[in-house]
Amino acid sequence: MLIAITGTPGVGKTTIAKLLAEKLGYEYVNLRDFALEKGCGREVDGEVEVEIDELAYFVEKELKDRNVVLDGHLSHLMPVDLVVVLRAHPRIIGERLRERGYSKEKIGENVEAELVDAILIEAIDEHENVIEVDTTNKTPEEIVEEIIGLIKSGVKRRVGIVDWSEVYDEIIPYLRLGGE
Ligand code: ADP
């Protein structure tokens, strides 16, 4: 089975994907590295720009029939069997990206993306099998157990479990309000 782990930058994709792969005995593949390896990504100002269709072709050809956990914020756009969308309180995204040294603008962009369910919406647009997992206040072990539990019990779709509009007031400091 090919499982995508997606979500807003900073949500915990790499941490969870590696641990999930280890627990399931699957291979771990980082989509960014895979794209660069296949020549369908190029580095522009430290970020990788990817040709989605070309990358999907290589994923289909090389990963589809293997047991792989695919890590990346574009992995839900690939031909996978299951998409796991990780979610976290947008404040956590803001704090983690600040620690990573992202610019104020980049932090705001990503906090907003988490607030408005941007990746979830893209994922459900592309796939039927989408599982959303709220990682807030959970350890990586707990999150991975939750994912494995859902897979083992045959759950293929579970979406609509968080609503960050309820915590909007807490994340105002991170937002790019007033067209800044
Ligand atoms: P992503 O791949 O989505 O950008 P990372 O896996 O790199 O996210 O995680 C971002 C940061 O958050 C890392 O410092 C990681 O150790 C930490 N982290 C990830 N998941 C958790 C968690 N469940 N609890 C606490 N810290 C976490």
Side-chain angles (χ1 to χ4, degrees):
M1 177 158 71
L2 179 53
I3 304 173
I5 303 288
T6 190
T8 310
V11 77
K13 292 181 294 297
T14 300
T15 309
I16 300 309
K18 285 187 172 164
L19 190 60
L20 180 66
E22 190 188 312
K23 297 254 163 140
L24 290 173
Y26 280 26
E27 292 171 70
Y28 164 86
V29 175
N30 182 290
L31 188 58
R32 181 182 187 274
D33 295 345
F34 183 77
L36 290 172
E37 197 184 299
K38 298 298 157 198
C40 29
R42 56 191 190 102
E43 301 230 36
V44 181
D45 297 333
E47 286 187 23
V48 175
E49 278 184 4
V50 164
E51 278 293 331
I52 295 287
D53 293 346
E54 207 182 323
L55 184 56
Y57 164 80
F58 283 109
V59 168
E60 174 90 39
K61 189 168 150 230
E62 299 196 15
L63 305 181
K64 190 71 178 157
D65 299 324
R66 284 159 42 187
N67 286 327
V68 169
V69 178
L70 189 59
D71 164 19
H73 70 286
L74 299 174
S75 63
H76 58 283
L77 303 177
M78 297 296 115
V80 298
D81 301 304
L82 174 69
V83 177
V84 177
V85 183
L86 300 180
R87 307 301 305 271
H89 189 307
R91 181 174 28 79
I92 296 176
I93 301 291
E95 285 164 1
R96 289 190 185 153
L97 296 183
R98 194 159 55 190
E99 268 169 40
R100 254 185 212 177
Y102 275 35
S103 68
K104 218 169 163 240
E105 196 197 344
K106 265 269 168 241
I107 294 171
E109 204 177 284
N110 286 301
V111 168
E112 283 167 21
E114 181 60 29
L115 171 69
V116 302
D117 309 326
I119 289 193
L120 175 71
I121 290 166
E122 282 184 7
I124 59 182
D125 228 36
E126 291 279 329
H127 295 276
E128 186 56 35
N129 298 346
V130 179
I131 289 175
E132 201 184 0
V133 175
D134 184 9
T135 66
T136 312
N137 299 326
K138 293 174 190 162
T139 65
E141 283 74 18
E142 287 170 337
I143 297 157
V144 167
E145 285 309 313
E146 187 174 332
I147 297 168
I148 292 175
L150 289 164
I151 293 172
K152 291 217 165 124
S153 54
V155 175
K156 294 198 165 69
R157 190 171 175 94
R158 184 187 71 170
V159 295
I161 60 162
V162 300
D163 178 3
W164 300 137
S165 66
E166 290 167 3
V167 298
Y168 184 76
D169 288 354
E170 294 173 50
I171 55 180
I172 288 174
Y174 290 105
L175 303 178
R176 299 168 303 167
L177 303 172
E180 273 171 57

